[in-house]
Amino acid sequence: MRRLATLGLMAPAILAPSLAFAEEEGSLEVYATLLPFFESVGTQGATPLGTESRATQVPVSIFTGINHERRFRMTSGTSNFGFRGDLPVLASLKLIWQVESPTPIDGEGPYSWASRNSHVGFTGDWGTITFGNWDTPMKYVTSTSVNPIRGGYVADMIPIIGSPGHSTPALNPDPTLEATFEIFKNRAGFFRHETNAVQYWSPNVAGFSARVMFSANERRTFGIPGTEEGLNPYLLSGSIGYDNAWLRLRYAAELHNDYFGTANVGGSGPSLTTPSSQDVAHLALVSVKVNADTDYETRIVATGDFLKYGTDDVTPEGGGYMNQYSRAAFYALIQQSFGSHNLWGAYGQSTEGDCNVTGNFPCTTTGLSASYFTGGYLYSFTKASGVYAIGYAVINDFSARYSPFPFLESRSAANPSLPNILEIAPGADTIGFGIGFVHAFSYKIFGGEAEAKPKEPQRAEPEPAAQEAP
């Protein structure tokens, strides 16, 4: 006990030189974004049981005709809490770091330490290079340029953009589960937070900038000689952009090798006859501001993507399974600011797309299109806090299953043996409306005068500095 007491008395003397060095040479910042949303939501209009006219890759068994009863629920979106900082190591070179974790203030959802944007890297006049887990450049393009509220929430653009439908979210909220290749849920989504990633971010030169990311093939598997090849899963993603005072242009492309997104859209996963896969996405974005930097700013954003999923086919003869699916979608939003008041409306549309089945069998994508409507209002108490109201509707064609968020319920409380209904039925429309809060802050502990630096949730912000989370 005496030793512990002595150590306690010595601690300030031990830590003081380290803190003094940190305050003089580096910086430490604490930040957070909190986005609780309370809503009423349900589905209606599910295509009746036994429908025969359908898309090829949607099994008859999925046409249950079941609608989710309307209920209240709370979600926390991309609420997060983190630390970041930098340390000068040379005259024009800084070491940067960030550790960010989910903050599910609704009490549910993933909350693993450092499972959101976390990395260590270097930044200088030549750009930035980082090692860790981070949002892909494709996700970054939209997360910093589309949402009226900085952060992801139920009724943003992802029910349509980045998702192929088929009850598959655009996001992969827990990439550590997917890494096992035993869980294929969400492997078709293209708004990804990826593990084992190396990124390079260029400096801004005359308004132009670029990002490129490689997610390592750490989980490559061995094959059986003469019978099958091993899996070689890796991700490549890149984006280029241009900015001036009123215009923002972005283009991004992404490749998923051996991710087998086809398993989510009616095709197969890895097998002897489908040893590899390539899923590709292209995305473009245009954002225009009128009366920028005034209390009456008008912002118009249009974005669209093209997703294509495919597997290599080594079937000797015959066939009959889907080995290719592609579809296009767009999303447009207009936002008007009146001081602390903000109004916005948006519309999205996905096409039915095209597919291919091996062995020259017919393939149809009939009824796989969907429309998406959303409107919202935000009142900002301060630059750091606000309250918002949002209504939205995802209208599916009779074979489609686009949805903003999974439902958690059982098909029958009286019969637990029946399967859980976590996904919407084909043709079911999701309609929701609710109210939420946003509070975002960034507080510098040392490395300059300690002061709160609240973010502005009422408008999409300029893209952040290298060490900041998108």
Side-chain angles (χ1 to χ4, degrees), residues 119-143:
H119 67 201
V120 175
F122 291 98
T123 187
D125 296 338
W126 45 270
T128 300
I129 187 168
T130 66
F131 297 77
N133 64 91
W134 205 266
D135 291 342
T136 65
M138 176 168 286
K139 180 183 176 185
Y140 177 81
V141 163
T142 52
S143 64

Side-chain angles (χ1 to χ4, degrees), residues 21-100:
F21 174 78
E23 291 178 355
E24 179 180 351
E25 301 294 338
S27 68
L28 172 62
E29 199 172 352
V30 177
Y31 67 92
T33 303
L34 305 176
L35 285 162
F37 182 59
F38 185 70
E39 66 170 329
S40 171
V41 63
T43 67
Q44 62 185 43
T47 302
L49 182 69
T51 298
E52 296 183 359
S53 178
R54 58 184 177 85
T56 302
Q57 65 265 47
V58 182
V60 174
S61 60
I62 295 180
F63 286 85
T64 62
I66 297 174
N67 290 304
H68 290 81
E69 298 294 334
R70 182 160 292 276
R71 81 284 311 279
F72 291 101
R73 69 178 177 185
M74 182 179 293
T75 56
S76 58
T78 56
S79 296
N80 60 80
F81 184 85
F83 306 87
R84 57 176 167 242
D86 60 51
L87 178 68
V89 293
L90 292 174
S92 59
L93 184 69
K94 285 185 178 182
L95 181 147
I96 59 172
W97 62 271
Q98 178 169 304
V99 177
E100 182 176 297

Side-chain angles (χ1 to χ4, degrees), residues 109-455:
Y111 46 85
S112 304
W113 174 257
S115 60
R116 281 184 53 87
N117 288 337
S118 303
H119 67 201
V120 175
F122 291 98
T123 187
D125 296 338
W126 45 270
T128 300
I129 187 168
T130 66
F131 297 77
N133 64 91
W134 205 266
D135 291 342
T136 65
M138 176 168 286
K139 180 183 176 185
Y140 177 81
V141 163
T142 52
S143 64
T144 56
S145 303
V146 179
N147 292 346
I149 302 171
R150 190 183 184 192
Y153 47 93
V154 170
D156 63 12
M157 70 281 180
I158 62 171
I160 291 289
I161 299 297
S163 167
H166 297 271
S167 203
T168 298
L171 298 170
N172 61 327
D174 196 343
T176 57
L177 292 177
E178 293 181 341
T180 65
F181 277 87
E182 296 174 0
I183 299 176
F184 286 92
K185 188 65 178 175
N186 296 355
R187 297 201 66 80
F190 272 93
F191 280 177
R192 303 186 65 83
H193 173 88
E194 210 68 9
T195 59
N196 306 313
V198 179
Q199 286 209 46
Y200 169 73
W201 308 338
S202 78
N204 189 303
V205 179
F208 291 92
S209 61
R211 291 190 171 210
V212 62
M213 176 188 199
F214 171 64
S215 179
N217 57 343
E218 179 176 319
R219 300 187 182 276
R220 187 169 189 172
T221 65
F222 64 87
I224 301 174
T227 60
E228 68 171 310
E229 300 178 15
L231 298 177
N232 185 25
Y234 63 84
L235 177 148
L236 287 172
S237 183
S239 67
I240 56 174
Y242 171 77
D243 290 89
N244 63 29
W246 59 274
L247 176 66
R248 172 170 289 181
L249 303 174
R250 293 290 183 273
Y251 168 75
E254 190 164 300
L255 166 69
H256 300 169
N257 191 74
D258 285 358
Y259 274 43
F260 287 91
T262 46
N264 290 85
V265 296
S268 67
S271 69
L272 291 177
T273 57
T274 56
S276 63
S277 74
Q278 295 80 38
D279 306 330
V280 179
H282 300 271
L283 181 144
L285 180 145
V286 179
S287 177
V288 178
K289 292 182 179 180
V290 181
N291 297 325
D293 300 322
T294 73
D295 287 340
Y296 303 98
E297 179 182 281
T298 302
R299 192 170 65 94
I300 303 171
V301 185
T303 185
D305 67 2
F306 177 77
L307 312 182
K308 184 176 182 179
Y309 304 87
T311 57
D312 291 338
D313 175 22
V314 294
T315 306
E317 59 184 38
Y321 64 88
M322 196 202 74
N323 66 343
Q324 183 174 302
Y325 175 69
S326 62
R327 73 105 186 98
F330 74 90
Y331 178 84
L333 177 144
I334 183 168
Q335 177 184 356
Q336 181 63 54
S337 301
F338 304 92
S340 297
H341 303 271
N342 280 260
L343 292 169
W344 70 88
Y347 173 73
Q349 178 71 48
S350 71
T351 63
E352 291 183 335
D354 297 292
C355 66
N356 184 72
V357 171
T358 60
N360 294 319
F361 285 86
C363 189
T364 176
T365 56
T366 302
L368 286 180
S369 64
S371 301
Y372 178 43
F373 304 86
T374 182
Y377 166 77
L378 170 70
Y379 177 77
S380 297
F381 305 126
T382 68
K383 289 184 177 181
S385 302
V387 59
Y388 59 94
I390 297 176
Y392 63 94
V394 181
I395 310 300
N396 283 302
D397 204 347
F398 65 89
S399 291
R401 292 189 296 153
Y402 286 87
S403 179
F405 202 77
F407 289 84
L408 302 176
E409 69 173 21
S410 294
R411 181 175 178 178
S412 173
N415 189 352
S417 64
L418 292 176
N420 288 335
I421 304 299
L422 304 179
E423 304 173 350
I424 66 169
D429 305 327
T430 303
I431 299 175
F433 54 88
I435 187 170
F437 290 91
V438 56
H439 181 66
F441 68 85
S442 176
Y443 190 87
K444 185 171 286 187
I445 296 177
F446 57 73
E449 183 180 354
E451 60 177 348
K453 291 186 176 181
K455 298 173 182 177

